[in-house]
Every structure is written in structure tokens, then in C-alpha cells.
Amino acid sequence: MPGFRRWGKSKFEKNPESSFKLLAAVLVITFYLLIKEFSNPTVRTRDVPTLGAQIQHTAWNGTGKAQETRAGKVRSAMKYTYWKYRESAWGADDILPVSGGNSSTRNGWGAFIVDSASTLALMELWDELAHSVEHILGIDFTHSEDLVDPFETTIRYLGGLLSIVELYDVGMIPEDVLHGEARDLILEHAVTLAEKLGPAYDTPTGMPWPRVNFKTSQGVADPPSVHFEHPDKPQFAHPAIGPARTGSSILENRVLTRLTGDSIYVRNSTLAWAPLVWSKWSTPWKGMVDAPIDITTGAPAGRDRHWDGGHDSYYEYLLKITLLAPASDPHIDTYKTRFLESAYSLRKHLSTRSASAPEHVMQHLFIGKQDGKQYQNEQGHLACFAPGTILLGSKFYNQPYLRTFALALLEGCHHTYTSTPSKIGPEGWSWTPKFSYDEPLYSPDTSRAKKEWAESGFWSTDSQYKGRPEYVESLFYAWRITGEQRFRDWAWEAFSAMETHCKAPYGYAQLADVYKVQSSEWPGSGEKRWIDMQESFWAAETLKYLWLTFTDVETASLDNWVFSTEGHVFRMIR
């Protein structure tokens, strides 16, 4: 499949730097082993996956059974989400849940349909899934009027397609909803899409371009609109990307290689994150990557270090590839080492407890960011994925200190939810560290921020809620791994708040301000309390993780399945 392979001579008309030649030599044996490993692809086993790992809590004593009422409420929310989209925005990428309009910012292939399909399958919403499959079979992934984002396209579209194939192959989707021929066509779609994304990897380092032009089959830099929408985004001599963009395709592409027997997919995704995993650049903290990274040289273009947005899923995938990959993978020990190093570096350097506030004595653990030598006492909702991922790693690698760390971080995220009038956490917040050598970078400097800090020990820096899943994702992992009922209760509190405040005429809207959710607090009819946007991850992740928290614990067991960063399930074949 030449459209996907790295070309023999780069468009830069120069060979990669000598260090990358050395790296390539080190990886030659790897690719030989991978080719051997995948010479006989795994297809259509139509049975439950064999035990891959012992992750989930075992001493349930009946407590792991489904909470039918709660699970049913979440399932109803998914049906409401789906049918409002189908009635008013079918075929578009997303519905606008307040106005009933639609949006297509993900190349117009129907992002919601593909991204939500695995949720429909797990919830056994067969009528809905049948409609989705019919649309998916008709998508032309070779055409896009807009530039294609390889990161978002991989996690939402490629991952969504592959997850449906995986669920079919173990017999979880009935033949009258998806038959074998349709399954093969979906896999063909995945191959087609992967081939079209192939030019993204045509760089001296193997790290992906920020965008791909499907018309010219070339990787390209960020379009001007990115810098218009994000004026603070720095510009460099060469395109530079964060760890998440270059390090979040290994799961999807390894599954595609296993299903097709073609090692090129896992080869390219391995090369994509090789400059991070085997970095030649020194960093003051083990396992942590300095970013953004120049895709031409592999050199850090900045000195940002954190587990928040833009960096997050690279660290997530370091762990999850060791769950997904078979023991014959020659790099498993390296991936494990990098994950543990980064998790302990996060614990040592970036986690700080909040100082007591006048009306809130209790301290909470949060994780900040580092820019060069400056500690930034701020955290985003995206970073609330970390408790679940670290807890997963603590169980798989038997690391009790990380378990304690993860549960403390989860309590901090929980506190941001329970402290707002909506009982939903904000998009971003800051706190005053209890211990610090320097003055905190951020401090409450408005009357509102001072009030929030005095009452809860933190203050919002972005008070929106964007339908994000990270907090409830971590609650799902905490419930399945510890078996503690409180995590189910916390998830129910979060869902109840979302049902109360986010449900709009055509779906579930984002919130403009989690501290102001009553219509009487806004002018006119109060619709301004909503943001007219519903991202596909609301169905792919947020509702999926909530439902899996309330349904029987053997559904999508963590002993058998690995969840992608977009919440798509892949089989452990170990």
C-alpha cells in the first residue's frame, strides 16, 4: 500500500540526522519481529477475549451487578442524544443542541455517527446501531474539502471503525445488525483512511505533520485559522507539535496491523513516537517530554512539561500499549519504564496541595504545569484523566504508591465538581500551593476569584463545561479497580447534574458558566447559559463511561479490553 508507506526520499531532499539513522538501525530488528508477528492476522474469532490481565477488583460479593435504574437513565440519555441528532443533523459531524442546527468541522464524514457507534454497541441499542452502520458503509474517506487533522481523525474515526470490527469479532454485535460482509467493508474503510493519513508521517523524524491535504496527498503545517482561533499558540521555523499529537496513534494502528497482517501501520506509529520514547534530548525529569517538538529535527521547541491537554494521551498510551501488545513486542519494557518514570515525575514535581482557605480548611491535590523553570499552578479538566490512567498503571504494574497518588488526584477533581452550584467542574482552575519556594504564578485577582477561593480553596480560570469525559472516565476506572461504592455514587451525582443543567432541546449543550446555571441568572429566556455545541466525545466517552460504571462489571471488563483515548474498546490479545 504505497500511499501509506514512508517514501524512499524525503521531500526535504535530505536524509534524517545521524541520530535518527542510529535510531532506525536500532528499530530494524523490531520491524522484522513485527512483520513475523503479524503475518497471520487475527480475524473473526467470534468469542469472548481470553484473559489478558488481572485489572478489575475481584471480591465483589454481588456488588458488581448492574444498578439497573441508574444504567437505564444513562442509556436513555444516549437514546435522546442519538435521536435528536438523527432527526435534525444526520450525516453532519455534530448537532447544535440548542438551535437544532449542525456543524461539520471534522471533515463532514459524520463524526458523531462513527464516534458513537461503539457506545451504541455496548449499550445494545441495535436499531440505532443499524442506522449508523448503514451510514458508515457509505462514507467516502478518500475525499475531504478541508485539511485533515491526523490526530483527531485517528482517535475519532479510525478508532471508532476498528472498535466496531473488534466488537463484532467477539460476537457482541448480532448478525442482523452487522454481518460479516459489512464487517469486512468497515475494515476496508479503516485501511483506506489509514492510507490517506499516511503522508502525515513523511517527515525526517517520522513525527506527523499537523494536517494532511487529501487532494495532494501531502502533509502540511497548521492552517492560518488555527493561529487565528488560538492567537497565543507560538509559531516556529518548522511545524512543532505536542506529545499527544505524535504519541496517540500506536493503539489504533497496532489493532489495524493485527486485523490486516500489514506491519506498516504499527511501524509508522512506532516511528512517530520514537523521538519521544528514545529521546536524545536531555530533560530534567525522567520520563517527561519537553514540548512542543520540532517535527523536522525532533528537538524541543519549548520547555513545557505536564500531563494536561496537548501532552496527556502520550502518557496514557505508554501504559495502554503494554496492555494491548503481546508479550513478544520488544519494546514493552521500555514503554513500561517510560510510563513509570513519567508518573513518578508528575507526583514529585507537578503535584501540589492547595493551601487552606478562609472558609475551606481541607487541602486538595492538584497537578500543575512547568514552563522552563516556572511552575504554573493551574489545571485543566483534561488532566482529570490522570487519576484513572495512573490507577490502571498502579494495578497492572503493582505500584501501591501510585495507587495512593491516583486516588488523591481523583478526590481533587471530585472537589472541583462538588464546589460549584451546578455540581459540575470547570474547564480550568488555579489554587494557592501550600508549599512553594516561589510566589505562585497565579493568584485570585478579581472579586469573583477571591470569593471562589475563599469558599473552596481554588478558583476557576475557565468556568465553562464542554461535555468532557475525563472526570467520569477516572471514576469508571476507580470503581472497576477498587470496588468502592463511593465512586459509583460520585458518578451518579455528576450525571444527575449533567442531566439537569446540560439537557437542551436538541441534545446536551455545553455550559457557559458552571457557577451560573439557572435561567434566571441570564438575560431573556436564559438560553445564554448554554453553549450551542455538542462534541462527539459526549456520546463516545462521557455517556459510555457513565453507563459502564452503572452496568455489570463484566461488561467491557478491564481484564479483557483496552480503552483508547477516545473511549473505543480494543481486545487484549496476550
Side-chain angles (χ1 to χ4, degrees):
M1 285 169 276
F4 193 85
R5 300 176 193 276
R6 299 278 302 279
W7 287 267
K9 188 173 182 180
S10 168
K11 65 179 66 177
F12 291 92
E13 297 182 353
K14 293 182 180 180
N15 291 325
E17 294 182 2
S18 59
S19 59
F20 291 104
K21 290 183 179 179
L22 178 61
L23 175 60
V26 171
L27 295 178
V28 165
I29 296 177
T30 298
F31 301 140
Y32 171 72
L33 291 173
L34 289 170
I35 290 170
K36 289 188 65 178
E37 175 187 340
F38 294 110
S39 59
N40 296 302
T42 303
V43 295
R44 298 200 201 178
T45 57
R46 300 296 283 171
D47 57 5
V48 178
T50 56
L51 184 67
Q54 183 57 62
I55 300 296
Q56 294 205 154
H57 181 70
T58 55
W60 294 106
N61 295 322
T63 60
K65 295 181 179 179
Q67 293 182 328
E68 298 291 355
T69 300
R70 291 180 174 184
K73 291 287 187 181
V74 179
R75 192 172 185 267
S76 295
M78 182 64 199
K79 293 187 71 171
Y80 181 83
T81 299
Y82 183 90
W83 284 105
K84 289 298 180 180
Y85 167 85
R86 177 161 174 78
E87 292 165 3
S88 300
W90 187 250
D93 287 335
D94 295 297
I95 193 170
L96 304 182
V98 180
S99 65
N102 63 77
S103 170
S104 284
T105 59
R106 305 288 179 198
N107 304 103
W109 296 319
F112 173 87
I113 298 173
V114 181
D115 214 9
S116 66
S118 61
T119 302
L120 297 175
L122 289 172
M123 290 184 179
E124 299 184 349
L125 292 170
W126 303 129
D127 289 343
E128 291 82 354
L129 182 59
H131 289 301
S132 293
V133 167
E134 183 179 5
H135 175 86
I136 289 169
L137 293 175
I139 297 175
D140 180 5
F141 283 113
T142 66
H143 176 77
S144 174
E145 290 296 330
D146 301 320
L147 297 177
V148 178
D149 181 338
F151 168 71
E152 294 287 356
T153 303
T154 295
I155 65 173
R156 299 194 196 216
Y157 285 108
L158 186 60
L161 296 172
L162 294 172
S163 188
I164 289 300
V165 173
E166 292 276 77
L167 289 165
Y168 171 85
D169 283 350
V170 298
M172 292 180 67
I173 300 177
E175 288 283 346
D176 61 348
V177 175
L178 178 68
H179 53 76
E181 184 179 352
R183 175 262 187 209
D184 292 345
L185 288 173
I186 291 175
L187 182 57
E188 286 183 18
H189 274 350
V191 170
T192 298
L193 182 57
E195 288 181 346
K196 293 297 292 185
L197 292 173
Y201 300 96
D202 180 35
T203 65
T205 60
M207 298 173 63
W209 285 93
R211 297 290 188 275
V212 179
N213 186 326
F214 274 19
K215 295 179 180 178
T216 63
S217 296
Q218 290 182 316
V220 296
D222 282 321
S225 60
V226 171
H227 297 282
F228 178 78
E229 295 173 8
H230 305 281
D232 295 334
K233 181 180 173 69
Q235 299 188 51
F236 304 97
H238 304 134
I241 60 177
R245 284 194 163 271
T246 195
S248 303
S249 66
I250 191 77
L251 294 188
E252 292 82 357
N253 280 293
R254 175 170 275 279
V255 172
L256 185 56
T257 286
R258 171 163 53 77
L259 290 170
T260 63
D262 192 335
S263 64
I264 190 63
Y265 309 115
V266 73
R267 174 183 182 271
N268 276 4
S269 58
T270 300
L271 284 174
W273 75 350
L276 281 62
V277 177
W278 294 275
S279 177
K280 69 173 184 175
W281 306 97
S282 62
T283 178
W285 304 340
K286 285 186 175 181
M288 297 286 280
V289 175
D290 287 346
I293 307 117
D294 188 314
I295 68 171
T296 303
T297 66
R303 294 293 177 182
D304 294 340
R305 294 186 295 277
H306 56 78
W307 274 40
D308 219 305
H311 293 223
D312 43 8
S313 49
Y314 162 67
Y315 298 105
E316 176 187 1
Y317 274 26
L318 282 174
L319 164 64
K320 289 183 175 179
I321 189 60
T322 66
L323 281 159
L324 185 74
S328 58
D329 188 307
H331 299 314
I332 282 183
D333 288 342
T334 300
Y335 298 148
K336 174 182 177 180
T337 298
R338 293 292 179 271
F339 174 80
L340 290 175
E341 288 176 342
S342 64
Y344 279 108
S345 288
L346 181 74
R347 176 174 175 258
K348 180 178 180 180
H349 299 289
L350 292 181
S351 64
T352 55
R353 287 200 170 274
S354 59
S356 297
E359 300 173 38
H360 188 82
V361 178
M362 186 174 177
Q363 301 162 22
H364 305 276
L365 192 67
F366 300 119
I367 45 178
K369 307 173 184 177
Q370 191 81 7
D371 183 5
K373 295 183 178 180
Q374 176 70 64
Y375 179 74
Q376 300 173 332
N377 54 316
E378 63 175 355
Q379 180 177 336
H381 192 288
L382 285 163
C384 283
F385 92 97
T389 294
I390 294 172
L391 190 60
L392 178 64
S394 75
K395 181 63 180 287
F396 188 45
Y397 299 146
N398 190 25
Q399 298 285 319
Y401 291 117
L402 289 183
R403 176 188 172 99
T404 302
F405 177 45
L407 293 177
L409 290 178
L410 183 52
E411 189 283 325
C413 291
H414 172 66
H415 176 60
T416 67
Y417 268 62
T418 59
S419 298
T420 71
S422 65
K423 303 306 177 186
I424 298 174
E427 177 73 3
W429 60 90
S430 286
W431 64 98
T432 301
K434 181 174 176 59
F435 301 107
S436 177
Y437 292 110
D438 304 310
E439 284 295 313
L441 180 62
Y442 303 112
S443 58
D445 54 4
T446 66
S447 58
R448 170 175 170 166
K450 291 175 182 177
K451 181 176 184 293
E452 290 175 6
W453 169 76
E455 292 176 348
S456 62
F458 74 92
W459 64 97
S460 61
T461 56
D462 184 344
S463 59
Q464 298 179 5
Y465 172 62
K466 298 186 176 182
R468 295 201 187 278
E470 290 77 22
Y471 170 59
V472 297
E473 173 187 349
S474 285
L475 291 178
F476 161 71
Y477 281 106
W479 161 244
R480 291 289 187 93
I481 293 171
T482 71
E484 294 182 24
Q485 178 64 36
R486 59 173 172 151
F487 298 121
R488 262 187 164 178
D489 294 338
W490 291 2
W492 180 246
E493 292 166 3
F495 171 73
S496 298
M498 295 169 189
E499 182 74 7
T500 299
H501 300 300
C502 299
K503 193 172 186 178
Y506 299 94
Y508 287 81
Q510 300 176 6
L511 299 179
D513 190 336
V514 295
Y515 289 84
K516 293 171 57 180
V517 289
Q518 302 302 323
S519 58
S520 59
E521 298 178 285
W522 295 84
S525 64
E527 281 194 356
K528 292 296 184 181
R529 72 187 186 276
W530 286 324
I531 299 172
D532 198 11
M533 177 60 66
Q534 177 189 278
E535 287 265 17
S536 64
F537 55 65
W538 166 255
E541 299 184 77
T542 308
L543 291 178
K544 179 186 281 131
Y545 285 123
L546 283 164
W547 183 78
L548 287 172
T549 302
F550 302 129
T551 197
D552 190 280
V553 294
E554 292 306 311
T555 303
S557 170
L558 294 175
D559 295 342
N560 304 126
W561 297 91
V562 179
F563 288 76
S564 76
T565 194
E566 190 71 7
H568 297 303
V569 289
F570 302 137
R571 289 181 291 169
M572 289 184 199
I573 306 293
R574 302 176 61 80

